Amino acid sequence: MIPAPKTAPILEFKNVSKAYSNGDSTQKVLHGVNLSVYPGDFCAITGPSGSGKSTFLNLCALLDEPSAGEIFFNDQATSGLTESALSMLRKKNVGMVFQQYCLLPYRSVLENVLFRFRYLEVDKAEALRMAKYALAKVGMSSFLDKPTHLLSGGEMQRVGIARAIALKPRLLVADEPTGNLDSSAAKQVMRCLNDLGQQEDIAILLVTHNESLLDYASRHLRCKDGNLIEHETA
Amino acid sequence: MKPLNISPLYLDIREGIKSRPGRFGLSLFAMTIGMAVLTALIALLLGLEARSQQLSEELGTNVIAILPKPSNHKQPLKPSHAHLLRANYPGARVSAVRRSRAHTPGTDRSLVVIASESELVNIRQWKMIKGRFFDELDIQLRKRHVVVTEALHKSWRWDVGATILLRNTPFLIIGVVSSDDSALAGEYGDSRLTTGEQAVFVPLTVESHWDDQVVSEASIDALYMRPANNMAAEEILPGLKNLLSQPGMDLQNLSWIIPATLIENVKQMQTTIGLTVGAIAILCLILGGTTLTSLLVANVRDRISEIGLRRALGATEMDIAILFIAEGCVATVAAGILGPLFVHLVLVQKIGILSRLPLELGAHTVFLPLLFSVLLGILFSFWPAISAARISPAEALRSE
């Protein structure tokens, strides 16, 4: 079931295509994708390897530019924005969670979450408060000073989620966040994401191969041959 | 409260170094050697520059010294050659000089006795500390007057008005002269031009029966000349050579020394040292620099996902480039501090290996290598930094 729009979409794709040129040949990855994502949406994206899921996710996170079409972020057209403007939009509004966690090995749990503020000018006390709040949200408050290499996979991923939400983003993009976790840890992470989406009104886009995790999502998007098809969730 | 970056650049740099400590250490080591050699080179070149200036000043501005070559025993200079120069170069100051040694009764020392004409003090531009130098009247009347060096005045308390004995012949001290020629006495100078600290000056015409050795009155050891104000020593030198080498003179085997000659000798040495030591410094710095570049290239390759993370968190291309350039500069600047420190404290102060060389150590041997190290850091880290900055964030995260 497609939920009724609550407010204006946070992210809107209008006829977006993406192609990569490799010398003389051009490989089309996405064809004319249309999509609106609203605050509080939890979209699970599935599809076979090479179907364009990661490309779609990079476009959502403003890390890549479409070959054709337009992406609106918070009602603002992103084409034509300078690199620094895109970077500003991304750092204030988009949180990212990675399959391999991408934690800094020489820093503690708290320092890794504080790294979210690395490229922002922010009051230190305020950043500390926000980082601790984010860690509390994912149940990692008791691990503040622990080096990240001593954590389990599930714990590392929760630190990655805390880093992503520390700045209260409007959009959270997660690329196979449970791909390296056992089923118990994966469920824990999914519950964590689900709660965040509902409590913090964050729109979540999650790529997964694990069909059993679709129950946590409010929307299911299937990527096939460069097209994004919306399926009804159970 | 003032806004601040939560994770300052130094923390990022520290992690970059921690990720490849061995390679960083190797690069730092090679760069430090290069910087130490560079520091020694700068100090040596500047020291030689100062030494050439000192040599020129000690000989005297625009002075020409004419001396027989050490191998020349048959064709001695004569006082008549001084008259010839005076006659051909009106307005020029000329003095013949004869050197000998004399024992001073009551001491176990012998002094260098410089017998000269009255113009010597003006030609060499020495400063009178007390009294006066002997004049034409002293020369004509063969007065037994003596001028002593400042060193003798201080160490032996010889003062104006006192009488001293040069091999039992009394001489009246009429002046104290400052004739510093420590640089001329050194290995870059010419000892034949020096007087030394233990020297006295007497009129050339005074009989030399006080001398330890038999001295031929007809011969002299050197001629000093300072052309008139409107003429440069370099300009009149060819004419002078022609004058003293004309038939009947028999004076072909002479050394002609002007300040430029002394400076030229030092310049040649500067060039030789500059080329040899400079080549070593450049080799070390290139070795260190390329090691640094390869370290950074490896760092970029190993840290692609970190670069992706940083871009995802809002870092711009410039932020990424600055990070890697800063990491490179840390290695070179550390070498830029350690290298000069090693030269200043260890090689010069502690071990003293370089203390015999004319090194000019100072702020320039600290700040020039430091400045150079920053430039090298930027140069050798520029390419890895730019290639890191150009990695597309999507591509970087895909490598994750």
Side-chain angles (χ1 to χ4, degrees):
Chain A
M1 188 186 74
I2 301 167
K6 292 169 271 187
T7 52
I10 179 73
L11 183 73
E12 200 169 10
F13 275 46
K14 283 192 176 168
N15 211 21
V16 169
S17 298
K18 180 70 186 176
Y20 293 104
S21 60
N22 186 11
D24 296 335
S25 62
T26 303
Q27 189 194 356
K28 284 194 171 182
V29 183
L30 290 176
H31 315 278
V33 173
N34 289 292
L35 176 77
S36 295
V37 180
Y38 297 89
D41 278 358
F42 189 154
C43 306
I45 301 145
T46 57
S49 293
S51 59
K53 301 187 300 293
S54 294
T55 302
F56 170 70
L57 220 53
N58 286 335
L59 288 169
C60 292
L62 309 177
L63 290 168
D64 210 349
E65 290 171 17
S67 308
E70 183 65 87
I71 298 172
F72 291 87
F73 196 95
N74 212 12
D75 273 343
Q76 184 184 5
T78 57
S79 65
L81 286 180
T82 60
E83 193 233 342
S84 59
L86 268 176
S87 162
M88 183 59 76
L89 204 59
R90 185 166 61 236
K91 69 180 158 189
K92 286 192 170 168
N93 295 293
V94 183
M96 290 191 78
V97 180
F98 309 98
Q99 185 180 358
Q100 301 287 351
Y101 327 124
C102 267
L103 299 180
L104 300 171
Y106 298 101
R107 297 192 193 188
S108 67
V109 165
L110 182 61
E111 284 170 337
N112 265 280
V113 178
L114 281 171
F115 195 65
R116 180 69 183 90
F117 304 90
R118 170 66 180 87
Y119 295 100
L120 282 167
E121 285 209 332
V122 57
D123 176 65
K124 191 176 181 179
E126 178 66 3
L128 263 173
R129 191 192 62 75
M130 291 169 88
K132 284 180 179 173
Y133 175 79
L135 281 166
K137 276 277 166 196
V138 297
M140 293 293 288
S141 288
S142 53
F143 294 83
L144 295 185
D145 297 322
K146 198 166 184 180
T148 50
H149 66 268
L150 298 179
L151 299 176
S152 69
E155 288 166 342
M156 279 200 246
Q157 194 55 288
R158 282 191 283 157
V159 175
I161 293 169
R163 181 181 61 198
I165 62 161
L167 204 57
K168 296 193 185 301
R170 303 208 62 197
L171 177 69
L172 186 68
V173 174
D175 193 357
E176 298 197 45
T178 58
N180 283 350
L181 304 179
D182 58 42
S183 60
S184 148
K187 281 176 185 168
Q188 210 175 6
V189 166
M190 289 305 289
R191 267 199 300 274
C192 179
L193 287 171
N194 200 354
D195 291 350
L196 281 170
Q198 287 175 7
Q199 291 166 16
E200 305 288 325
D201 220 17
I202 299 171
I204 299 172
L205 290 168
L206 176 139
V207 165
T208 183
H209 277 111
N210 190 344
E211 301 274 338
S212 68
L213 301 177
L214 293 177
D215 295 345
Y216 293 93
S218 59
R219 295 171 69 183
H220 176 205
L221 304 167
R222 187 161 181 81
C223 218
K224 194 177 179 189
D225 302 328
N227 294 304
L228 208 60
I229 303 150
E230 183 137 14
H231 290 254
E232 281 195 20
T233 47
Chain B
M1 195 184 290
K2 193 186 169 205
L4 50 87
N5 282 327
I6 296 303
S7 173
L9 188 60
Y10 80 84
L11 265 182
D12 296 348
I13 293 168
R14 194 185 64 182
E15 279 174 15
I17 293 166
K18 267 185 177 177
S19 67
R20 293 257 177 179
R23 213 177 269 224
F24 179 82
L26 180 66
S27 171
L28 178 65
F29 178 69
M31 286 296 248
T32 302
I33 292 175
M35 282 298 168
V37 178
L38 182 74
T39 306
L41 178 66
I42 293 169
L44 196 52
L45 292 180
L46 290 174
L48 286 171
E49 187 69 37
R51 186 60 60 91
S52 71
Q53 286 300 320
Q54 198 184 347
L55 286 170
S56 171
E57 281 165 17
E58 286 181 8
L59 179 61
T61 309
N62 212 26
V63 171
I64 302 168
I66 307 163
L67 309 105
K69 285 188 176 167
S71 57
N72 183 358
H73 303 295
K74 293 179 183 175
Q75 299 156 342
L77 285 164
K78 293 171 188 154
S80 60
H81 294 129
H83 300 315
L84 186 70
L85 295 184
R86 278 192 205 98
N88 281 274
Y89 294 93
R93 298 170 187 271
V94 180
S95 175
V97 170
R98 185 189 303 126
R99 297 166 68 100
S100 57
R101 295 194 79 85
H103 182 71
T104 49
T107 71
D108 54 355
R109 297 182 187 180
S110 66
L111 294 172
V112 173
V113 180
I114 312 282
S116 77
E117 294 172 272
S118 59
E119 287 289 9
L120 184 66
V121 69
N122 295 321
I123 294 168
R124 298 289 298 268
Q125 293 141 58
W126 288 330
K127 188 181 160 196
M128 291 304 297
I129 305 293
K130 266 186 163 182
R132 63 176 178 86
F133 206 72
F134 38 82
D135 54 21
E136 273 306 304
L137 202 61
D138 294 318
I139 300 282
Q140 282 169 21
L141 298 178
R142 298 181 175 228
K143 288 275 192 183
R144 285 179 182 166
H145 285 171
V146 68
V147 175
V148 300
T149 58
E150 192 180 7
L152 286 179
H153 166 65
K154 282 180 179 166
S155 58
W156 291 12
R157 296 186 181 172
W158 283 359
D159 212 341
V160 174
T163 300
I164 61 166
L165 294 174
L166 293 176
R167 195 161 190 173
N168 300 322
T169 305
F171 278 79
L172 176 68
I173 299 174
I174 61 167
V176 178
V177 69
S178 169
S179 59
D180 179 33
D181 52 16
S182 52
L184 279 172
E187 57 188 303
Y188 305 100
D190 189 327
S191 60
R192 293 174 299 166
L193 302 170
T194 62
T195 57
E197 289 187 341
Q198 309 283 315
V200 293
F201 300 85
V202 298
L204 187 69
T205 49
V206 173
E207 289 178 4
S208 58
H209 60 262
W210 35 264
D211 197 352
D212 288 347
Q213 296 164 350
V214 177
V215 173
S216 165
E217 294 272 347
S219 69
I220 55 173
D221 295 311
L223 272 171
Y224 287 94
M225 178 180 173
R226 193 169 161 210
N229 285 341
N230 57 348
M231 300 171 92
E234 290 91 334
E235 287 172 21
I236 66 161
L237 201 56
L240 262 182
K241 287 181 178 175
N242 284 338
L243 182 68
L244 292 185
S245 61
Q246 60 188 305
M249 285 289 179
D250 291 335
L251 280 173
Q252 277 101 19
N253 208 9
L254 294 174
S255 298
W256 303 82
I257 299 168
I258 57 174
T261 318
L262 297 172
I263 292 172
E264 184 56 32
N265 290 341
V266 179
K267 293 274 181 210
Q268 280 176 4
M269 196 163 291
Q270 269 183 315
T271 309
T272 310
I273 290 171
L275 288 174
T276 50
V277 183
I280 296 169
I282 286 169
L283 276 176
C284 290
L285 292 175
I286 287 176
L287 175 68
T290 46
T291 312
L292 179 69
T293 304
S294 67
L295 159 79
L296 290 174
V297 167
N299 269 1
V300 170
R301 208 182 304 129
D302 291 352
R303 290 159 66 188
I304 285 182
S305 61
E306 184 198 318
I307 293 167
L309 171 69
R310 286 175 185 275
R311 294 301 301 273
L313 296 183
T316 59
E317 286 185 10
M318 182 67 89
D319 291 325
I320 301 296
I322 286 173
L323 173 68
F324 283 95
I325 286 177
E327 281 186 22
C329 284
V330 164
T332 56
V333 169
I337 293 168
L338 292 174
L341 208 66
F342 181 70
V343 172
H344 284 243
L345 296 182
V346 180
L347 294 185
V348 176
Q349 305 262 340
K350 191 86 178 170
I351 304 175
I353 288 174
L354 304 178
S355 56
R356 287 184 59 199
L357 295 171
L359 297 179
E360 190 88 2
L361 296 170
H364 48 272
T365 49
V366 173
F367 292 111
L368 272 178
L370 202 58
L371 177 70
F372 200 62
S373 69
V374 174
L375 295 176
L376 281 177
I378 294 170
L379 178 74
F380 284 108
S381 58
F382 188 76
W383 179 67
I386 290 299
S387 56
R390 284 187 182 156
I391 296 172
S392 111
E395 208 173 285
L397 288 171
R398 200 174 298 137
S399 82
E400 188 231 359

